[in-house]
């Protein structure tokens, strides 16, 4: 009891017209189709991670490494193209030598990106198959949805 000798705290003042505090929302797991769309259309590995599979981190790392290698090749290619256009001492042979020096990065990067996408395709198929065979989770019952206890004695 508040405000008494047992409990020296003042009584609580509850403003009228206020709603009761909301319960925190539970996060819903991502659906299998959302994971598949993320894997195939956005970023390979991300959908696999959201599906709760740790191998998605490896898929994402392979994709990132491939992307960085492709960007390194593109930077070298643009630098060589810029030098060819602006420096009079540069010939097409110098340009081709510079581009070929970065060619391994472009090809390796494209290969790693393709590997990550194909790998995430197989992961997406596995996620969809698992979702087909797994029953959906039971919805959580909220406090106000529960049946109120009935008083046996009136």
């Amino acid at each position: 009891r508040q405000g008494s000798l047992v409990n020296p705290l003042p009584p609580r003042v509850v403003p009228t017209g206020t709603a009761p505090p909301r319960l925190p929302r539970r996060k819903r797991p991502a659906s299998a189709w959302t994971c598949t769309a993320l894997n195939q259309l956005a970023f390979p590995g991300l959908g696999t991670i959201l599906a709760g599979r740790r191998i998605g981190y490896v898929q994402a790392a392979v994709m990132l490494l491939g992307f960085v290698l492709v960007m390194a090749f593109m930077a070298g290619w643009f630098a060589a193209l810029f030098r060819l256009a602006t420096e009079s001492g540069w010939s097409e042979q110098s340009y081709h030598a510079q581009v070929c020096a970065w060619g391994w990065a472009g090809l390796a990067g494209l290969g790693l990106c393709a590997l990550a996408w194909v790998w995430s395709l197989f992961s997406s198929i596995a996620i969809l198959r698992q979702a087909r065979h797994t029953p959906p989770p039971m919805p959580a019952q909220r406090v106000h949805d529960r049946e109120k206890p009935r008083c046996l004695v009136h």
Side-chain angles (χ1 to χ4, degrees), residues 44 52 87 93 97 110:
E87 292 182 18
Q93 294 167 346
L110 284 176

Side-chain angles (χ1 to χ4, degrees), residues 150-154:
R150 295 183 184 171
C151 183
L152 299 176
V153 179
H154 289 36

Side-chain angles (χ1 to χ4, degrees), residues 24 39 53 56 63 66 72 108-109 119 139-140:
N39 263 347
R53 298 175 180 211
M63 181 63 189
W119 190 2

Side-chain angles (χ1 to χ4, degrees), residues 14 23 38 50 71 92 95 98 122 137-138 140 148:
V14 178
L23 297 174
L38 284 171
L50 290 178
M71 289 298 107
E92 281 192 42
Y95 165 76
Q98 182 74 23
F122 286 116
M138 296 294 295
K148 293 181 182 174

